[in-house]
PDB file of all heavy atoms in Angstrom:
ATOM      1  N   VAL H   1     -83.075  -7.727 -30.013  1.00  0.00           N
ATOM      2  CA  VAL H   1     -82.463  -7.371 -28.793  1.00  0.00           C
ATOM      3  C   VAL H   1     -82.360  -8.601 -27.832  1.00  0.00           C
ATOM      4  O   VAL H   1     -83.340  -9.361 -27.737  1.00  0.00           O
ATOM      5  CB  VAL H   1     -83.226  -6.250 -28.093  1.00  0.00           C
ATOM      6  CG1 VAL H   1     -82.722  -5.951 -26.714  1.00  0.00           C
ATOM      7  CG2 VAL H   1     -83.231  -4.983 -28.927  1.00  0.00           C
ATOM      8  N   LEU H   2     -81.318  -8.725 -27.125  1.00  0.00           N
ATOM      9  CA  LEU H   2     -81.141  -9.657 -26.027  1.00  0.00           C
ATOM     10  C   LEU H   2     -80.979  -8.823 -24.782  1.00  0.00           C
ATOM     11  O   LEU H   2     -80.208  -7.945 -24.714  1.00  0.00           O
ATOM     12  CB  LEU H   2     -79.867 -10.574 -26.233  1.00  0.00           C
ATOM     13  CG  LEU H   2     -79.596 -11.584 -25.078  1.00  0.00           C
ATOM     14  CD1 LEU H   2     -80.737 -12.542 -24.996  1.00  0.00           C
ATOM     15  CD2 LEU H   2     -78.256 -12.317 -25.425  1.00  0.00           C
ATOM     16  N   GLN H   3     -81.881  -9.072 -23.873  1.00  0.00           N
ATOM     17  CA  GLN H   3     -81.821  -8.303 -22.593  1.00  0.00           C
ATOM     18  C   GLN H   3     -81.754  -9.228 -21.365  1.00  0.00           C
ATOM     19  O   GLN H   3     -82.093 -10.412 -21.462  1.00  0.00           O
ATOM     20  CB  GLN H   3     -83.020  -7.333 -22.490  1.00  0.00           C
ATOM     21  CG  GLN H   3     -84.323  -8.025 -22.048  1.00  0.00           C
ATOM     22  CD  GLN H   3     -85.513  -7.041 -21.904  1.00  0.00           C
ATOM     23  OE1 GLN H   3     -85.393  -5.882 -22.351  1.00  0.00           O
ATOM     24  NE2 GLN H   3     -86.560  -7.520 -21.275  1.00  0.00           N
ATOM     25  N   VAL H   4     -81.271  -8.630 -20.291  1.00  0.00           N
ATOM     26  CA  VAL H   4     -81.223  -9.410 -19.003  1.00  0.00           C
ATOM     27  C   VAL H   4     -81.469  -8.390 -17.864  1.00  0.00           C
ATOM     28  O   VAL H   4     -81.084  -7.200 -17.958  1.00  0.00           O
ATOM     29  CB  VAL H   4     -79.763 -10.056 -18.851  1.00  0.00           C
ATOM     30  CG1 VAL H   4     -78.679  -8.990 -18.838  1.00  0.00           C
ATOM     31  CG2 VAL H   4     -79.746 -10.922 -17.669  1.00  0.00           C
ATOM     32  N   GLY H   5     -82.201  -8.861 -16.836  1.00  0.00           N
ATOM     33  CA  GLY H   5     -82.419  -8.088 -15.663  1.00  0.00           C
ATOM     34  C   GLY H   5     -81.520  -8.668 -14.599  1.00  0.00           C
ATOM     35  O   GLY H   5     -81.422  -9.867 -14.380  1.00  0.00           O
ATOM     36  N   THR H   6     -80.886  -7.775 -13.796  1.00  0.00           N
ATOM     37  CA  THR H   6     -80.009  -8.240 -12.730  1.00  0.00           C
ATOM     38  C   THR H   6     -79.934  -7.257 -11.575  1.00  0.00           C
ATOM     39  O   THR H   6     -80.475  -6.155 -11.729  1.00  0.00           O
ATOM     40  CB  THR H   6     -78.524  -8.454 -13.316  1.00  0.00           C
ATOM     41  OG1 THR H   6     -77.751  -9.091 -12.328  1.00  0.00           O
ATOM     42  CG2 THR H   6     -77.929  -7.148 -13.766  1.00  0.00           C
ATOM     43  N   GLY H   7     -79.335  -7.674 -10.539  1.00  0.00           N
ATOM     44  CA  GLY H   7     -79.174  -6.719  -9.389  1.00  0.00           C
ATOM     45  C   GLY H   7     -78.164  -5.651  -9.723  1.00  0.00           C
ATOM     46  O   GLY H   7     -77.251  -5.865 -10.525  1.00  0.00           O
ATOM     47  N   ASP H   8     -78.269  -4.551  -9.023  1.00  0.00           N
ATOM     48  CA  ASP H   8     -77.309  -3.450  -9.205  1.00  0.00           C
ATOM     49  C   ASP H   8     -76.102  -3.702  -8.356  1.00  0.00           C
ATOM     50  O   ASP H   8     -75.761  -3.089  -7.374  1.00  0.00           O
ATOM     51  CB  ASP H   8     -78.017  -2.123  -8.779  1.00  0.00           C
ATOM     52  CG  ASP H   8     -77.295  -0.916  -9.267  1.00  0.00           C
ATOM     53  OD1 ASP H   8     -76.298  -1.084  -9.984  1.00  0.00           O
ATOM     54  OD2 ASP H   8     -77.788   0.211  -8.974  1.00  0.00           O
ATOM     55  N   VAL H   9     -75.245  -4.650  -8.914  1.00  0.00           N
ATOM     56  CA  VAL H   9     -74.033  -5.134  -8.216  1.00  0.00           C
ATOM     57  C   VAL H   9     -72.928  -5.047  -9.207  1.00  0.00           C
ATOM     58  O   VAL H   9     -73.028  -5.535 -10.307  1.00  0.00           O
ATOM     59  CB  VAL H   9     -74.280  -6.553  -7.673  1.00  0.00           C
ATOM     60  CG1 VAL H   9     -73.024  -7.078  -7.000  1.00  0.00           C
ATOM     61  CG2 VAL H   9     -75.449  -6.659  -6.766  1.00  0.00           C
ATOM     62  N   PRO H  10     -71.797  -4.450  -8.792  1.00  0.00           N
ATOM     63  CA  PRO H  10     -70.653  -4.286  -9.746  1.00  0.00           C
ATOM     64  C   PRO H  10     -70.205  -5.608 -10.413  1.00  0.00           C
ATOM     65  O   PRO H  10     -69.965  -5.590 -11.669  1.00  0.00           O
ATOM     66  CB  PRO H  10     -69.510  -3.734  -8.837  1.00  0.00           C
ATOM     67  CG  PRO H  10     -70.292  -2.978  -7.741  1.00  0.00           C
ATOM     68  CD  PRO H  10     -71.494  -3.758  -7.482  1.00  0.00           C
ATOM     69  N   SER H  11     -70.125  -6.663  -9.739  1.00  0.00           N
ATOM     70  CA  SER H  11     -69.625  -7.914 -10.376  1.00  0.00           C
ATOM     71  C   SER H  11     -70.554  -8.373 -11.536  1.00  0.00           C
ATOM     72  O   SER H  11     -70.100  -8.769 -12.548  1.00  0.00           O
ATOM     73  CB  SER H  11     -69.467  -9.028  -9.341  1.00  0.00           C
ATOM     74  OG  SER H  11     -70.694  -9.298  -8.720  1.00  0.00           O
ATOM     75  N   SER H  12     -71.852  -8.296 -11.270  1.00  0.00           N
ATOM     76  CA  SER H  12     -72.822  -8.660 -12.337  1.00  0.00           C
ATOM     77  C   SER H  12     -72.773  -7.672 -13.468  1.00  0.00           C
ATOM     78  O   SER H  12     -72.755  -8.056 -14.685  1.00  0.00           O
ATOM     79  CB  SER H  12     -74.289  -8.741 -11.757  1.00  0.00           C
ATOM     80  OG  SER H  12     -74.347  -9.771 -10.827  1.00  0.00           O
ATOM     81  N   LEU H  13     -72.791  -6.420 -13.177  1.00  0.00           N
ATOM     82  CA  LEU H  13     -72.784  -5.401 -14.175  1.00  0.00           C
ATOM     83  C   LEU H  13     -71.500  -5.476 -15.033  1.00  0.00           C
ATOM     84  O   LEU H  13     -71.542  -5.347 -16.261  1.00  0.00           O
ATOM     85  CB  LEU H  13     -72.948  -3.978 -13.627  1.00  0.00           C
ATOM     86  CG  LEU H  13     -74.287  -3.748 -12.858  1.00  0.00           C
ATOM     87  CD1 LEU H  13     -74.294  -2.406 -12.234  1.00  0.00           C
ATOM     88  CD2 LEU H  13     -75.496  -3.987 -13.758  1.00  0.00           C
ATOM     89  N   ASN H  14     -70.351  -5.762 -14.422  1.00  0.00           N
ATOM     90  CA  ASN H  14     -69.145  -5.883 -15.103  1.00  0.00           C
ATOM     91  C   ASN H  14     -69.080  -7.095 -16.042  1.00  0.00           C
ATOM     92  O   ASN H  14     -68.651  -7.046 -17.138  1.00  0.00           O
ATOM     93  CB  ASN H  14     -67.930  -5.968 -14.115  1.00  0.00           C
ATOM     94  CG  ASN H  14     -67.611  -4.705 -13.451  1.00  0.00           C
ATOM     95  OD1 ASN H  14     -67.972  -3.615 -13.944  1.00  0.00           O
ATOM     96  ND2 ASN H  14     -66.972  -4.730 -12.282  1.00  0.00           N
ATOM     97  N   PHE H  15     -69.669  -8.214 -15.523  1.00  0.00           N
ATOM     98  CA  PHE H  15     -69.728  -9.427 -16.333  1.00  0.00           C
ATOM     99  C   PHE H  15     -70.535  -9.158 -17.654  1.00  0.00           C
ATOM    100  O   PHE H  15     -70.087  -9.458 -18.709  1.00  0.00           O
ATOM    101  CB  PHE H  15     -70.312 -10.596 -15.581  1.00  0.00           C
ATOM    102  CG  PHE H  15     -70.697 -11.738 -16.405  1.00  0.00           C
ATOM    103  CD1 PHE H  15     -69.769 -12.554 -16.959  1.00  0.00           C
ATOM    104  CD2 PHE H  15     -72.081 -11.995 -16.704  1.00  0.00           C
ATOM    105  CE1 PHE H  15     -70.115 -13.641 -17.802  1.00  0.00           C
ATOM    106  CE2 PHE H  15     -72.440 -13.083 -17.541  1.00  0.00           C
ATOM    107  CZ  PHE H  15     -71.437 -13.872 -18.089  1.00  0.00           C
ATOM    108  N   TYR H  16     -71.732  -8.603 -17.438  1.00  0.00           N
ATOM    109  CA  TYR H  16     -72.594  -8.367 -18.619  1.00  0.00           C
ATOM    110  C   TYR H  16     -71.979  -7.300 -19.527  1.00  0.00           C
ATOM    111  O   TYR H  16     -72.057  -7.378 -20.752  1.00  0.00           O
ATOM    112  CB  TYR H  16     -74.048  -7.996 -18.192  1.00  0.00           C
ATOM    113  CG  TYR H  16     -74.713  -9.222 -17.651  1.00  0.00           C
ATOM    114  CD1 TYR H  16     -75.164  -9.252 -16.307  1.00  0.00           C
ATOM    115  CD2 TYR H  16     -75.036 -10.261 -18.475  1.00  0.00           C
ATOM    116  CE1 TYR H  16     -75.786 -10.312 -15.792  1.00  0.00           C
ATOM    117  CE2 TYR H  16     -75.684 -11.352 -17.893  1.00  0.00           C
ATOM    118  CZ  TYR H  16     -76.121 -11.347 -16.623  1.00  0.00           C
ATOM    119  OH  TYR H  16     -76.745 -12.508 -16.109  1.00  0.00           O
ATOM    120  N   GLY H  17     -71.257  -6.329 -18.936  1.00  0.00           N
ATOM    121  CA  GLY H  17     -70.612  -5.278 -19.767  1.00  0.00           C
ATOM    122  C   GLY H  17     -69.540  -5.939 -20.650  1.00  0.00           C
ATOM    123  O   GLY H  17     -69.431  -5.608 -21.836  1.00  0.00           O
ATOM    124  N   LYS H  18     -68.820  -6.908 -20.110  1.00  0.00           N
ATOM    125  CA  LYS H  18     -67.758  -7.621 -20.887  1.00  0.00           C
ATOM    126  C   LYS H  18     -68.453  -8.509 -22.019  1.00  0.00           C
ATOM    127  O   LYS H  18     -67.718  -8.837 -22.941  1.00  0.00           O
ATOM    128  CB  LYS H  18     -66.890  -8.469 -19.989  1.00  0.00           C
ATOM    129  CG  LYS H  18     -66.009  -7.610 -19.109  1.00  0.00           C
ATOM    130  CD  LYS H  18     -65.189  -8.530 -18.170  1.00  0.00           C
ATOM    131  CE  LYS H  18     -64.324  -7.674 -17.234  1.00  0.00           C
ATOM    132  NZ  LYS H  18     -63.632  -8.436 -16.204  1.00  0.00           N
ATOM    133  N   CYS H  19     -69.668  -8.848 -21.845  1.00  0.00           N
ATOM    134  CA  CYS H  19     -70.391  -9.628 -22.808  1.00  0.00           C
ATOM    135  C   CYS H  19     -71.091  -8.735 -23.822  1.00  0.00           C
ATOM    136  O   CYS H  19     -71.882  -9.201 -24.665  1.00  0.00           O
ATOM    137  CB  CYS H  19     -71.410 -10.549 -22.139  1.00  0.00           C
ATOM    138  SG  CYS H  19     -70.624 -11.850 -21.154  1.00  0.00           S
ATOM    139  N   GLY H  20     -70.977  -7.439 -23.733  1.00  0.00           N
ATOM    140  CA  GLY H  20     -71.486  -6.534 -24.706  1.00  0.00           C
ATOM    141  C   GLY H  20     -72.788  -5.843 -24.388  1.00  0.00           C
ATOM    142  O   GLY H  20     -73.384  -5.174 -25.169  1.00  0.00           O
ATOM    143  N   PHE H  21     -73.230  -6.001 -23.101  1.00  0.00           N
ATOM    144  CA  PHE H  21     -74.507  -5.408 -22.759  1.00  0.00           C
ATOM    145  C   PHE H  21     -74.256  -4.008 -22.215  1.00  0.00           C
ATOM    146  O   PHE H  21     -73.255  -3.661 -21.668  1.00  0.00           O
ATOM    147  CB  PHE H  21     -75.122  -6.213 -21.615  1.00  0.00           C
ATOM    148  CG  PHE H  21     -75.721  -7.546 -21.996  1.00  0.00           C
ATOM    149  CD1 PHE H  21     -74.872  -8.666 -22.086  1.00  0.00           C
ATOM    150  CD2 PHE H  21     -77.072  -7.675 -22.304  1.00  0.00           C
ATOM    151  CE1 PHE H  21     -75.399  -9.882 -22.517  1.00  0.00           C
ATOM    152  CE2 PHE H  21     -77.570  -8.951 -22.695  1.00  0.00           C
ATOM    153  CZ  PHE H  21     -76.767 -10.019 -22.803  1.00  0.00           C
ATOM    154  N   THR H  22     -75.306  -3.147 -22.423  1.00  0.00           N
ATOM    155  CA  THR H  22     -75.326  -1.820 -21.807  1.00  0.00           C
ATOM    156  C   THR H  22     -76.564  -1.564 -21.082  1.00  0.00           C
ATOM    157  O   THR H  22     -77.657  -2.215 -21.388  1.00  0.00           O
ATOM    158  CB  THR H  22     -75.126  -0.711 -22.912  1.00  0.00           C
ATOM    159  OG1 THR H  22     -76.203  -0.799 -23.818  1.00  0.00           O
ATOM    160  CG2 THR H  22     -73.802  -0.852 -23.587  1.00  0.00           C
ATOM    161  N   ARG H  23     -76.558  -0.648 -20.134  1.00  0.00           N
ATOM    162  CA  ARG H  23     -77.774  -0.347 -19.338  1.00  0.00           C
ATOM    163  C   ARG H  23     -78.865   0.176 -20.169  1.00  0.00           C
ATOM    164  O   ARG H  23     -78.645   1.009 -21.068  1.00  0.00           O
ATOM    165  CB  ARG H  23     -77.464   0.706 -18.295  1.00  0.00           C
ATOM    166  CG  ARG H  23     -77.423   0.250 -16.853  1.00  0.00           C
ATOM    167  CD  ARG H  23     -77.115   1.447 -15.975  1.00  0.00           C
ATOM    168  NE  ARG H  23     -76.197   1.040 -14.951  1.00  0.00           N
ATOM    169  CZ  ARG H  23     -76.538   0.849 -13.637  1.00  0.00           C
ATOM    170  NH1 ARG H  23     -77.797   1.020 -13.274  1.00  0.00           N
ATOM    171  NH2 ARG H  23     -75.678   0.512 -12.824  1.00  0.00           N
ATOM    172  N   SER H  24     -80.078  -0.391 -19.970  1.00  0.00           N
ATOM    173  CA  SER H  24     -81.217   0.082 -20.782  1.00  0.00           C
ATOM    174  C   SER H  24     -82.471   0.463 -19.919  1.00  0.00           C
ATOM    175  O   SER H  24     -83.425   0.847 -20.523  1.00  0.00           O
ATOM    176  CB  SER H  24     -81.619  -1.008 -21.820  1.00  0.00           C
ATOM    177  OG  SER H  24     -81.904  -2.242 -21.136  1.00  0.00           O
ATOM    178  N   GLY H  25     -82.387   0.300 -18.620  1.00  0.00           N
ATOM    179  CA  GLY H  25     -83.535   0.627 -17.771  1.00  0.00           C
ATOM    180  C   GLY H  25     -83.407  -0.012 -16.454  1.00  0.00           C
ATOM    181  O   GLY H  25     -82.408  -0.641 -16.095  1.00  0.00           O
ATOM    182  N   SER H  26     -84.455   0.178 -15.582  1.00  0.00           N
ATOM    183  CA  SER H  26     -84.474  -0.451 -14.320  1.00  0.00           C
ATOM    184  C   SER H  26     -85.906  -0.535 -13.763  1.00  0.00           C
ATOM    185  O   SER H  26     -86.840   0.159 -14.324  1.00  0.00           O
ATOM    186  CB  SER H  26     -83.615   0.432 -13.276  1.00  0.00           C
ATOM    187  OG  SER H  26     -84.229   1.648 -13.113  1.00  0.00           O
ATOM    188  N   ILE H  27     -86.099  -1.353 -12.795  1.00  0.00           N
ATOM    189  CA  ILE H  27     -87.422  -1.471 -12.129  1.00  0.00           C
ATOM    190  C   ILE H  27     -87.165  -1.231 -10.691  1.00  0.00           C
ATOM    191  O   ILE H  27     -86.482  -1.991 -10.015  1.00  0.00           O
ATOM    192  CB  ILE H  27     -88.059  -2.842 -12.343  1.00  0.00           C
ATOM    193  CG1 ILE H  27     -88.334  -3.075 -13.797  1.00  0.00           C
ATOM    194  CG2 ILE H  27     -89.352  -2.885 -11.528  1.00  0.00           C
ATOM    195  CD1 ILE H  27     -88.883  -4.473 -14.089  1.00  0.00           C
ATOM    196  N   LYS H  28     -87.661  -0.085 -10.201  1.00  0.00           N
ATOM    197  CA  LYS H  28     -87.481   0.278  -8.789  1.00  0.00           C
ATOM    198  C   LYS H  28     -88.072  -0.778  -7.845  1.00  0.00           C
ATOM    199  O   LYS H  28     -89.150  -1.299  -8.069  1.00  0.00           O
ATOM    200  CB  LYS H  28     -88.133   1.626  -8.491  1.00  0.00           C
ATOM    201  CG  LYS H  28     -87.377   2.817  -9.085  1.00  0.00           C
ATOM    202  CD  LYS H  28     -86.212   3.100  -8.202  1.00  0.00           C
ATOM    203  CE  LYS H  28     -85.618   4.434  -8.536  1.00  0.00           C
ATOM    204  NZ  LYS H  28     -84.201   4.554  -8.091  1.00  0.00           N
ATOM    205  N   ASN H  29     -87.341  -1.093  -6.818  1.00  0.00           N
ATOM    206  CA  ASN H  29     -87.790  -1.956  -5.705  1.00  0.00           C
ATOM    207  C   ASN H  29     -88.235  -3.358  -6.206  1.00  0.00           C
ATOM    208  O   ASN H  29     -88.967  -4.038  -5.517  1.00  0.00           O
ATOM    209  CB  ASN H  29     -88.947  -1.310  -4.992  1.00  0.00           C
ATOM    210  CG  ASN H  29     -88.527  -0.032  -4.370  1.00  0.00           C
ATOM    211  OD1 ASN H  29     -87.414   0.151  -3.829  1.00  0.00           O
ATOM    212  ND2 ASN H  29     -89.399   0.979  -4.476  1.00  0.00           N
ATOM    213  N   PHE H  30     -87.711  -3.850  -7.373  1.00  0.00           N
ATOM    214  CA  PHE H  30     -88.151  -5.099  -7.843  1.00  0.00           C
ATOM    215  C   PHE H  30     -87.879  -6.249  -6.874  1.00  0.00           C
ATOM    216  O   PHE H  30     -88.789  -7.068  -6.590  1.00  0.00           O
ATOM    217  CB  PHE H  30     -87.421  -5.433  -9.170  1.00  0.00           C
ATOM    218  CG  PHE H  30     -87.824  -6.826  -9.750  1.00  0.00           C
ATOM    219  CD1 PHE H  30     -88.961  -6.968 -10.445  1.00  0.00           C
ATOM    220  CD2 PHE H  30     -87.036  -7.947  -9.456  1.00  0.00           C
ATOM    221  CE1 PHE H  30     -89.317  -8.267 -10.991  1.00  0.00           C
ATOM    222  CE2 PHE H  30     -87.418  -9.182  -9.876  1.00  0.00           C
ATOM    223  CZ  PHE H  30     -88.530  -9.328 -10.726  1.00  0.00           C
ATOM    224  N   PHE H  31     -86.721  -6.256  -6.342  1.00  0.00           N
ATOM    225  CA  PHE H  31     -86.339  -7.388  -5.424  1.00  0.00           C
ATOM    226  C   PHE H  31     -87.066  -7.331  -4.081  1.00  0.00           C
ATOM    227  O   PHE H  31     -87.483  -8.271  -3.511  1.00  0.00           O
ATOM    228  CB  PHE H  31     -84.816  -7.473  -5.237  1.00  0.00           C
ATOM    229  CG  PHE H  31     -84.116  -7.868  -6.531  1.00  0.00           C
ATOM    230  CD1 PHE H  31     -83.468  -6.892  -7.344  1.00  0.00           C
ATOM    231  CD2 PHE H  31     -84.136  -9.202  -6.964  1.00  0.00           C
ATOM    232  CE1 PHE H  31     -82.869  -7.265  -8.518  1.00  0.00           C
ATOM    233  CE2 PHE H  31     -83.518  -9.513  -8.135  1.00  0.00           C
ATOM    234  CZ  PHE H  31     -82.861  -8.562  -8.955  1.00  0.00           C
ATOM    235  N   THR H  32     -87.197  -6.081  -3.556  1.00  0.00           N
ATOM    236  CA  THR H  32     -87.880  -5.978  -2.245  1.00  0.00           C
ATOM    237  C   THR H  32     -89.341  -6.122  -2.381  1.00  0.00           C
ATOM    238  O   THR H  32     -90.024  -6.606  -1.368  1.00  0.00           O
ATOM    239  CB  THR H  32     -87.565  -4.584  -1.609  1.00  0.00           C
ATOM    240  OG1 THR H  32     -87.822  -3.525  -2.555  1.00  0.00           O
ATOM    241  CG2 THR H  32     -86.069  -4.456  -1.237  1.00  0.00           C
ATOM    242  N   ASP H  33     -89.929  -5.822  -3.552  1.00  0.00           N
ATOM    243  CA  ASP H  33     -91.316  -6.031  -3.718  1.00  0.00           C
ATOM    244  C   ASP H  33     -91.789  -7.455  -4.177  1.00  0.00           C
ATOM    245  O   ASP H  33     -92.969  -7.847  -3.911  1.00  0.00           O
ATOM    246  CB  ASP H  33     -91.864  -5.068  -4.817  1.00  0.00           C
ATOM    247  CG  ASP H  33     -91.923  -3.613  -4.389  1.00  0.00           C
ATOM    248  OD1 ASP H  33     -91.770  -3.359  -3.192  1.00  0.00           O
ATOM    249  OD2 ASP H  33     -92.055  -2.733  -5.273  1.00  0.00           O
ATOM    250  N   ASN H  34     -90.870  -8.211  -4.702  1.00  0.00           N
ATOM    251  CA  ASN H  34     -91.247  -9.476  -5.295  1.00  0.00           C
ATOM    252  C   ASN H  34     -90.683 -10.703  -4.658  1.00  0.00           C
ATOM    253  O   ASN H  34     -91.051 -11.827  -5.018  1.00  0.00           O
ATOM    254  CB  ASN H  34     -90.903  -9.543  -6.829  1.00  0.00           C
ATOM    255  CG  ASN H  34     -91.694  -8.619  -7.645  1.00  0.00           C
ATOM    256  OD1 ASN H  34     -92.929  -8.830  -7.857  1.00  0.00           O
ATOM    257  ND2 ASN H  34     -91.143  -7.445  -8.025  1.00  0.00           N
ATOM    258  N   TYR H  35     -89.820 -10.475  -3.673  1.00  0.00           N
ATOM    259  CA  TYR H  35     -89.212 -11.670  -3.027  1.00  0.00           C
ATOM    260  C   TYR H  35     -89.595 -11.633  -1.490  1.00  0.00           C
ATOM    261  O   TYR H  35     -89.765 -10.545  -0.956  1.00  0.00           O
ATOM    262  CB  TYR H  35     -87.689 -11.667  -3.160  1.00  0.00           C
ATOM    263  CG  TYR H  35     -87.298 -12.122  -4.565  1.00  0.00           C
ATOM    264  CD1 TYR H  35     -87.369 -11.174  -5.642  1.00  0.00           C
ATOM    265  CD2 TYR H  35     -86.946 -13.429  -4.839  1.00  0.00           C
ATOM    266  CE1 TYR H  35     -87.055 -11.576  -6.973  1.00  0.00           C
ATOM    267  CE2 TYR H  35     -86.600 -13.801  -6.134  1.00  0.00           C
ATOM    268  CZ  TYR H  35     -86.658 -12.917  -7.210  1.00  0.00           C
ATOM    269  OH  TYR H  35     -86.357 -13.286  -8.461  1.00  0.00           O
ATOM    270  N   ASP H  36     -89.714 -12.784  -0.914  1.00  0.00           N
ATOM    271  CA  ASP H  36     -90.220 -12.829   0.430  1.00  0.00           C
ATOM    272  C   ASP H  36     -89.155 -12.662   1.489  1.00  0.00           C
ATOM    273  O   ASP H  36     -89.429 -12.817   2.672  1.00  0.00           O
ATOM    274  CB  ASP H  36     -90.986 -14.177   0.637  1.00  0.00           C
ATOM    275  CG  ASP H  36     -90.135 -15.444   0.504  1.00  0.00           C
ATOM    276  OD1 ASP H  36     -88.886 -15.288   0.425  1.00  0.00           O
ATOM    277  OD2 ASP H  36     -90.750 -16.524   0.483  1.00  0.00           O
ATOM    278  N   HIS H  37     -87.913 -12.428   1.077  1.00  0.00           N
ATOM    279  CA  HIS H  37     -86.816 -12.165   2.025  1.00  0.00           C
ATOM    280  C   HIS H  37     -85.854 -11.266   1.345  1.00  0.00           C
ATOM    281  O   HIS H  37     -85.733 -11.188   0.106  1.00  0.00           O
ATOM    282  CB  HIS H  37     -86.145 -13.527   2.407  1.00  0.00           C
ATOM    283  CG  HIS H  37     -85.545 -14.247   1.239  1.00  0.00           C
ATOM    284  ND1 HIS H  37     -86.267 -14.925   0.341  1.00  0.00           N
ATOM    285  CD2 HIS H  37     -84.231 -14.334   0.832  1.00  0.00           C
ATOM    286  CE1 HIS H  37     -85.443 -15.450  -0.605  1.00  0.00           C
ATOM    287  NE2 HIS H  37     -84.207 -15.072  -0.308  1.00  0.00           N
ATOM    288  N   PRO H  38     -85.049 -10.545   2.147  1.00  0.00           N
ATOM    289  CA  PRO H  38     -83.929  -9.737   1.566  1.00  0.00           C
ATOM    290  C   PRO H  38     -82.956 -10.606   0.834  1.00  0.00           C
ATOM    291  O   PRO H  38     -82.553 -11.671   1.305  1.00  0.00           O
ATOM    292  CB  PRO H  38     -83.332  -9.068   2.783  1.00  0.00           C
ATOM    293  CG  PRO H  38     -84.325  -9.165   3.847  1.00  0.00           C
ATOM    294  CD  PRO H  38     -85.102 -10.460   3.657  1.00  0.00           C
TER     295      PRO H  38
END
């Protein structure tokens, strides 16, 4: 398996979709919990 984690943003999701990726999960609040700024 090749996986990637990304933001829930249409442009990113569309790019990865065109590369053959499908949704496989998520981590709630990852960006708000792990980064020091929005």
Side-chain angles (χ1 to χ4, degrees):
V1 173
L2 179 61
Q3 76 178 15
V4 62
T6 190
D8 195 1
V9 178
S11 60
S12 295
L13 299 176
N14 289 338
F15 167 73
Y16 289 114
K18 289 177 182 175
C19 292
F21 289 83
T22 57
R23 250 184 221 254
S24 58
S26 65
I27 300 176
K28 287 283 194 203
N29 302 317
F30 178 85
F31 293 102
T32 52
D33 289 347
N34 291 288
Y35 286 81
D36 64 9
H37 63 283

